[in-house]
Amino acid sequence: SSIVVYWIVMITWNFVVACFSSPGVALPKEHSTIQYTWKARSAQGGFCGLNPPFCAAEEVQRVALYGTLDTCRAIRGRPPLPANDVPWEFPLTSPSYCEKCDIIRPPRCHHCKVCNRCTLQADHHCPWLNNCIGFNNYRSFLLLICHVFLASVYGVGLLLPPFYKTISNQISQHGIKYFYKNKTGFLDLPMPRVLWQQWKTTGIDDDVMLRMVFPLLVLICSIMIGFVSIHVYYVVTARTTLEHTIMLYILKDKLKEEQQSNHKSILFMKRPTNPFSQGWKANIQQVLGPNLFLVLLPIPVTAPRPYI
């Protein structure tokens, strides 16, 4: 049907864009002046030996969106923990220094040990996309997992009635058992060698295909609902996966300090305020763009200017 074709197009489009787009990188000085390429085998985007495009001018322009980096305010090493009775902000608004790249980088920029780059607004390194997810390709990544989730929900809803009918007939004829004729469990799927012979000769039966595909879609749907929920929360709160993880570590360290200080309760431990949060609606537009209807179309969209 047309909806299936639409989801295939959207999933493929967002996968390719997230895979081949630069996440936004703070380049070392030598990479800004010499010919350089991202390499797929170095987990810097691309796949199957196809390297993503590299443009030093575009990377420099993305870093420039964060304004002039004050080297005097650049943080070197891990900042000290704030006192419990003092309001504190996280993520930090100050630039930081990367020892591995020997550069002053914008706030919210972190070094990825997998692809060996300082990624702007780093979220995580995705092995499925062979690329870092950051400022420039997070929108495509988010739309990719959302469309995969919606497509799997559609598939589960479409196949649920015939799957229920098939299982109901099996139970009514043979009762509830762990093993049936094929001795492979409740779904009673044929052995792998039997499936292989069917595929080479007459093709796999529709009933067998239904018993294989429906549980797989349910599994995908269950996994994706977790991914989508977490990233929607990150978008609404204007945090990244990495920033949320770091914040949890900071709170854990502060908890240890509280326990060592013999405080009876940590319920009143101050949580950080997020200086990059503009409110849930503006935070969503900061990721998806001002025109939310464009998320339904397979067209390239320039990442909005970062909120500083």
Side-chain angles (χ1 to χ4, degrees):
S1 64
S2 58
I3 187 65
V4 174
V5 174
Y6 169 76
W7 269 321
I8 291 175
V9 171
M10 292 300 297
I11 291 173
T12 303
W13 167 262
N14 286 293
F15 174 84
V16 171
V17 171
C19 185
F20 281 90
S21 295
S22 167
V25 177
L27 296 174
K29 295 180 180 179
E30 62 270 18
H31 293 173
S32 302
T33 56
I34 65 174
Q35 188 67 25
Y36 187 75
T37 57
W38 300 139
K39 297 179 181 179
R41 65 172 180 266
S42 300
Q44 295 176 334
F47 60 87
C48 297
L50 299 175
N51 295 327
F54 170 79
C55 180
E58 292 181 357
E59 302 296 348
V60 173
Q61 185 178 9
R62 293 187 185 105
V63 174
L65 294 175
Y66 289 83
T68 303
L69 301 181
D70 187 355
T71 57
C72 297
R73 296 174 58 237
I75 299 174
R76 295 172 179 258
R78 182 176 180 179
L81 290 176
N84 189 45
D85 56 346
V86 176
W88 56 293
E89 294 182 342
F90 187 84
L92 301 177
T93 57
S94 302
S96 59
Y97 173 74
C98 179
E99 296 180 354
K100 296 180 180 179
C101 296
D102 190 24
I103 57 171
I104 303 297
R105 58 194 181 186
R108 309 186 79 183
C109 184
H110 298 273
H111 188 90
C112 175
K113 63 181 180 181
V114 179
C115 60
N116 195 30
R117 299 180 294 184
C118 282
T119 303
L120 302 177
Q121 207 165 310
D123 188 87
H124 69 287
H125 188 93
C126 182
W128 306 105
L129 295 174
N130 193 41
N131 200 0
C132 251
I133 306 301
F135 165 73
N136 193 51
N137 62 353
Y138 182 76
R139 178 183 184 273
S140 299
F141 167 79
L142 180 64
L143 294 180
L144 171 64
I145 62 175
C146 286
H147 283 294
V148 170
F149 169 66
L150 292 175
S152 62
V153 170
Y154 175 79
V156 168
L158 194 66
L159 297 181
L160 178 59
F163 180 80
Y164 176 79
K165 182 178 179 180
T166 299
I167 297 300
S168 297
N169 292 336
Q170 174 179 293
I171 294 176
S172 62
Q173 294 177 10
H174 307 286
I176 300 177
K177 301 178 181 179
Y178 185 76
F179 289 112
Y180 291 91
K181 180 180 64 175
N182 294 315
K183 306 296 183 181
T184 57
F186 180 74
L187 294 176
D188 199 32
L189 294 172
M191 290 290 185
R193 56 182 177 80
V194 177
L195 282 175
W196 176 251
Q197 291 295 330
Q198 288 183 0
W199 182 77
K200 290 195 303 181
T201 56
T202 60
I204 300 176
D205 295 338
D206 293 341
D207 179 72
V208 175
M209 186 65 71
L210 177 63
R211 293 168 184 261
M212 294 171 57
V213 172
F214 181 79
L216 179 61
L217 285 177
V218 172
L219 176 62
I220 294 175
C221 188
S222 302
I223 295 174
M224 295 310 299
I225 192 173
F227 277 116
V228 172
S229 301
I230 290 173
H231 280 279
V232 167
Y233 170 75
Y234 292 154
V235 170
V236 171
T237 57
R239 297 192 190 278
T240 66
T241 302
L242 181 59
E243 290 168 350
H244 185 76
T245 304
I246 294 175
M247 185 186 69
L248 293 180
Y249 277 113
I250 293 176
L251 292 175
K252 181 180 178 181
D253 290 342
K254 286 173 66 64
L255 172 59
K256 291 181 179 179
E257 286 189 354
E258 290 297 311
Q259 292 176 339
Q260 292 174 357
S261 301
N262 296 322
H263 283 264
K264 295 182 179 180
S265 175
I266 61 164
L267 297 178
F268 302 102
M269 185 172 63
K270 291 186 177 295
R271 300 298 196 270
T273 57
N274 187 352
F276 298 99
S277 179
Q278 312 168 65
W280 68 270
K281 184 177 181 180
N283 290 342
I284 293 175
Q285 293 178 334
Q286 183 65 39
V287 173
L288 300 179
N291 190 348
L292 298 181
F293 290 103
L294 295 181
V295 303
L296 303 175
L297 302 175
I299 58 176
V301 176
T302 303
R305 186 182 183 91
Y307 177 75
I308 305 295

